[in-house]
Amino acid sequence: MMAILGVAIVPMAHAQVETAAPEITARSVYMINADNGEVIYSKNPDDSSAMASTTKMMTALLVMENCPDLDSPVTISKRAVEVGESSVWLQEGETLTVRELLYGLLVQSGNDAAVALAEYQGGSVETFVEMMNQRAAELGLEQTHFTNPHGLDDPEHYSSARDLVVLGGELMKYPEIRKIVATTEMTIPWAGHPYGRTLVNHNHLLWQTPAVTGIKTGFTDEAGQCIVVSASDKGINLLVAYMGGQSLAQRDQEVMALLQYAFDSYRQQKVITKGKEYADIDIPFRRGEAMALVSDGDLVKQVYIRDEIEYRVVLPDEMNLPVYQGDKVGLVEAYEGDVYLGNAYLLATQDVLKPGWLGRINYLLDSVYHFQIGRASCRERV
């Protein structure tokens, strides 16, 4: 029978000096560890504002969730051609696949591709927008409302940095999407031309560092510079939403600073140390004696330097004898908040043999003696 004997919270071993957070001028920012949801940086995360083409993440998500064949053909409508602004130069009546339109949507950020996909998936733009808002509610995006599939400004079209991080994380569950948003440049067919359409990703950070793996940029006069970024380095996976930046150059510079700050916030640490004492346990039939228990090995993990490590010791209700030095007696478990990091066995540090009948009798007599002494002490105090 094993039980959690105790919980100890101690500072992280060898924690290094904390890096100062960068100064961010954007209207709102939200950055998390994508694996455990740990918030690394936050500025007005729940303020709703125009979201520009980051909208297209929801358009792509609904396509991925509802289209069984990305090679299905889509015929381009007049409405798609006439939407305006950012475009992949679709032509009325031409046919492209859903996959090709997804590249146009997420790489080139084509508003025409957004309308074409919305009409294909929803039957009409209006029905598709209803689907967008229903899915937003299902995902718990409380500060988000859609009026279109592309992100052109509308007073009733808005989101928050926190909501965009949730949406981005949901979209990146799809391998095909991860491939698309990491594409810097590609060509898709162009009807009536001897050459194809060259699509160039608006996410310039893809060229600046291999750590960046996606996801979607956006800009309108109302929204300012926006971007949702996924990034990975040394086992750390990040999601960042940046909204209301003042310029493209400043947006990219500040997001790069945020990513560096986040990656610097994690260290490879020895969270359990071989040979270190993490607990002791009472020795049966030896009043007042306990045995130290030490870890049988090291546990090294990437940990957040602003967190503390929590140790939970798991021991038997009673130590069964005999026990020899090096025997496994219990466990020490390491946690970072609610995140389980791993464990190590706790080993006995001495031999303890099973007592004979004489030793047991002596222990019982000693117990009776101490019990009587305790009773007498109680009577004196009364």
Side-chain angles (χ1 to χ4, degrees):
M1 180 71 69
M2 304 290 282
I4 296 178
L5 183 66
V7 175
I9 300 177
V10 300
M12 182 184 304
H14 313 300
Q16 301 186 26
V17 177
E18 194 173 316
T19 305
E23 292 292 329
I24 302 299
T25 61
R27 183 187 305 118
S28 59
V29 177
Y30 192 62
M31 177 167 62
I32 67 167
N33 181 317
D35 294 322
N36 59 27
E38 191 163 39
V39 179
I40 304 170
Y41 187 94
S42 181
K43 176 183 178 181
N44 304 323
D46 297 313
D47 286 2
S48 59
S49 60
M51 60 178 130
S53 286
T54 59
T55 299
K56 295 176 174 113
M57 294 191 299
M58 179 60 87
T59 303
L61 178 62
L62 287 175
V63 170
M64 296 304 297
E65 291 178 340
N66 294 284
C67 180
D69 183 6
L70 298 185
D71 292 318
S72 299
V74 180
T75 301
I76 307 306
S77 71
K78 181 179 180 181
R79 183 173 184 177
V81 172
E82 294 179 345
V83 66
E85 300 292 341
S86 181
S87 171
V88 292
W89 315 288
L90 296 179
Q91 299 170 251
E92 184 179 356
E94 75 168 308
T95 299
L96 290 170
T97 67
V98 172
R99 190 188 314 274
E100 289 164 345
L101 287 171
L102 282 171
Y103 274 95
L105 178 80
L106 297 173
V107 175
Q108 186 73 23
S109 196
N111 295 337
D112 47 359
V115 172
L117 287 168
E119 290 179 325
Y120 173 78
Q121 198 63 66
S124 70
V125 170
E126 290 72 23
T127 300
F128 188 79
V129 168
E130 292 177 4
M131 294 169 61
M132 296 173 80
N133 285 313
Q134 180 180 343
R135 191 70 181 100
E138 291 169 354
L139 290 172
L141 309 184
E142 297 181 354
Q143 306 302 323
T144 297
H145 187 263
F146 297 100
T147 62
N148 61 66
H150 41 68
L152 291 178
D153 287 335
D154 183 301
E156 296 303 313
H157 191 91
Y158 52 81
S159 189
S160 69
R162 190 193 303 271
D163 284 0
L164 290 181
V165 161
V166 174
L167 178 56
E170 194 69 21
L171 181 60
M172 290 293 277
K173 291 179 180 178
Y174 292 91
E176 186 69 26
I177 290 296
R178 295 198 296 272
K179 177 182 176 182
I180 292 172
V181 297
T183 300
T184 55
E185 185 175 319
M186 76 164 302
T187 300
I188 61 173
W190 198 349
H193 293 77
Y195 46 83
R197 297 175 176 88
T198 298
L199 309 178
V200 179
N201 204 312
H202 293 187
N203 184 357
H204 304 146
L205 299 180
L206 291 169
W207 282 272
Q208 295 187 36
T209 172
V212 171
T213 57
I215 307 177
K216 190 68 192 76
T217 63
F219 171 78
T220 64
D221 290 340
E222 181 67 25
Q225 290 291 343
C226 301
I227 191 170
V228 179
V229 173
S230 60
S232 299
D233 187 44
K234 298 177 182 177
I236 305 302
N237 301 304
L238 306 173
L239 283 168
V240 188
Y242 176 103
M243 303 180 72
Q246 298 175 10
S247 72
L248 175 59
Q250 191 166 24
R251 181 198 75 186
D252 287 353
Q253 180 181 355
E254 291 185 354
V255 171
M256 286 292 287
L258 283 166
L259 295 178
Q260 189 62 57
Y261 168 70
F263 289 133
D264 287 346
S265 295
Y266 288 86
R267 295 287 186 271
Q268 193 86 331
Q269 298 285 350
K270 188 184 292 185
V271 295
I272 296 179
T273 302
K274 182 177 181 179
K276 180 177 177 179
E277 180 182 343
Y278 285 93
D280 58 42
I281 188 169
D282 290 338
I283 299 176
F285 304 105
R286 295 190 190 177
R287 179 174 301 281
E289 292 188 41
M291 179 200 298
L293 301 176
V294 300
S295 167
D296 75 331
D298 294 327
L299 177 65
V300 179
K301 290 288 183 177
Q302 288 273 15
V303 289
Y304 191 48
I305 65 174
R306 280 172 284 280
D307 278 350
E308 292 182 332
I309 301 301
E310 178 182 310
Y311 296 98
R312 303 177 188 178
V313 174
V314 184
L315 297 178
D317 288 337
E318 183 176 314
M319 186 165 61
N320 292 321
L321 301 180
V323 168
Y324 299 98
Q325 185 174 0
D327 282 356
K328 297 172 181 176
V329 177
L331 287 173
V332 56
E333 300 176 333
Y335 290 80
E336 184 182 11
D338 294 329
V339 179
Y340 173 70
L341 298 176
N343 66 55
Y345 284 110
L346 291 175
L347 306 181
T349 54
Q350 65 186 82
D351 297 341
V352 182
L353 301 179
K354 192 180 245 185
W357 65 269
L358 184 58
R360 291 171 182 264
I361 290 173
N362 287 336
Y363 175 77
L364 290 173
L365 291 174
D366 185 60
S367 297
V368 170
Y369 170 75
H370 280 88
F371 175 73
Q372 294 296 337
I373 293 294
R375 289 184 61 189
S377 176
C378 288
R379 284 197 298 269
E380 289 175 6
R381 286 196 297 272
V382 172

